């Protein structure tokens, strides 16, 4: 089974999204794996009218929030099941959605984006040697590129296997992801010409869960 089919399977397993967050809002931006936690869309510094691209947009929750800020929201996801779910979740929001592999989408177009982001998305599941130059080419000078993902397990760096579980009778599906410590991410981005790079781990909220969220932000 290929990666696209694996993500189609993943799409059907995710629980329903909450209709409102803890603040009673119907759209919100979350960089982390925990509800109502961490920074929001301000990380992207997008003024109204900005072109904003989400790499691996999934069901489009973050992108729909970007739309409420007056930006033009463009989403890319290799999984048609995810794209269809995003269309179904946000019938009243004008999202521009593309079913495509992220690096390919970036390589095939010319339009510049004011901000590019990825939340546990294609920036985690794509070799940065291919993705970073492709993002830089499509980001306007000074535009923001930001992405989040789980931090690496100590000692496990570079390409790692990620498992998408299925029923008890089926083997899990495997996709590849790329894990590095924050300093290494900063070096990779700077090596591809990004500036003002920050890379940090946002701690988990108080409670039993201890794994934080790696958040990387840079400018083109
Ligand atoms: C864990 S989900 C996260 C979805 C969404 N960003 C969110 O926060 O809910 C990862 C998403 O990235 C997409 N994806 C993974 N690799 C990709 C790639 N190379 N190109 C485009 N989409 C990709 C998957 O199809 C999936 O929808």
């Amino acid at each position: 089974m290929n990666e696209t089919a694996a993500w189609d399977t993943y799409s059907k397993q995710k629980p329903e999204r909450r209709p409102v967050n803890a603040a009673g809002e119907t759209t919100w931006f979350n960089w982390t794996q925990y509800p109502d936690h961490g920074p929001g869309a301000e990380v992207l510094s997008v003024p109204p009218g900005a072109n904003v691209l989400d790499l691996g947009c999934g069901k489009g929750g973050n992108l729909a929030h970007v739309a409420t800020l007056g930006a033009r929201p463009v989403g890319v996801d290799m999984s048609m099941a995810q794209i269809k779910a995003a269309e179904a979740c946000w019938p009243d929001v004008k999202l521009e959605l593309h079913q495509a592999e992220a690096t390919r989408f970036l390589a095939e177009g010319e339009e510049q984006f004011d901000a590019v982001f990825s939340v546990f998305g294609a920036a985690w599941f794509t070799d940065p040697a291919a993705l970073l130059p492709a993002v830089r080419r499509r980001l306007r000078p000074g535009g923001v590129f930001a992405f989040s993902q789980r931090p690496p397990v100590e000692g496990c760096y570079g390409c790692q296997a990620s498992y998408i579980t299925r029923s008890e009778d089926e083997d899990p599906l495997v996709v590849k992801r790329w894990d590095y410590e924050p300093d290494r991410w900063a070096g990779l981005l700077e090596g591809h010409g990004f500036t003002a790079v920050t890379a940090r781990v946002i701690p988990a909220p108080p409670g039993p869960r201890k794994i934080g969220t790696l958040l990387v932000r840079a400018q083109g």
Side-chain angles (χ1 to χ4, degrees):
M1 188 180 276
N2 64 27
E3 303 227 335
T4 305
W7 287 114
D8 284 346
T9 301
Y10 169 89
S11 178
K12 291 174 196 111
Q13 295 174 351
K14 280 286 272 184
E16 286 288 302
R17 176 191 158 86
R18 298 174 297 164
V20 291
N21 66 4
E25 297 155 335
T26 54
T27 70
W28 59 87
F29 198 110
N30 192 345
W31 296 97
T32 80
Q33 62 274 53
Y34 303 108
D36 310 301
H37 183 58
E42 69 279 0
V43 170
L44 296 173
S45 314
V46 288
N51 286 340
V52 181
L53 175 66
D54 183 352
L55 298 175
C57 61
K59 299 187 175 69
N62 287 317
L63 203 56
H65 183 70
V66 165
T68 68
L69 306 177
R72 175 181 152 236
V74 182
V76 178
D77 202 291
M78 63 164 36
S79 159
M80 187 48 98
Q82 291 283 67
I83 294 285
K84 287 202 169 127
E87 286 166 353
C89 278
W90 305 103
D92 302 325
V93 183
K94 231 177 150 212
L95 303 178
E96 188 181 317
L97 299 171
H98 301 265
Q99 192 243 327
E101 195 285 316
T103 312
R104 196 165 183 168
F105 174 85
L106 291 163
E108 287 178 353
E110 295 300 329
E111 183 193 4
Q112 297 252 291
F113 291 95
D114 299 295
V116 178
F117 73 91
S118 186
V119 175
F120 287 64
W124 195 14
F125 300 104
T126 308
D127 186 346
L131 187 78
L132 297 183
V135 170
R136 180 120 199 286
R137 193 178 75 82
R138 299 289 300 276
L139 193 60
R140 76 155 167 79
V144 172
F145 174 42
F147 60 90
S148 64
Q149 57 196 55
R150 265 203 317 270
V153 174
E154 196 182 342
C156 301
Y157 306 123
C159 185
Q160 306 287 319
S162 247
Y163 294 94
I164 295 172
T165 52
R166 294 190 287 174
S167 74
E168 289 217 338
D169 298 334
E170 294 172 297
D171 287 332
L173 301 172
V174 185
V175 295
K176 291 175 186 157
R177 64 168 204 263
W178 275 261
D179 284 350
Y180 296 105
E181 295 287 358
D183 285 355
R184 178 92 167 97
W185 274 116
L188 283 170
L189 282 146
E190 283 159 2
H192 283 92
F194 289 89
T195 61
V197 183
T198 57
R200 66 189 170 105
V201 176
I202 302 163
R209 300 278 301 272
K210 301 292 172 225
I211 298 176
T213 308
L214 174 73
L215 177 63
V216 180
R217 182 188 192 275
Q219 284 176 242

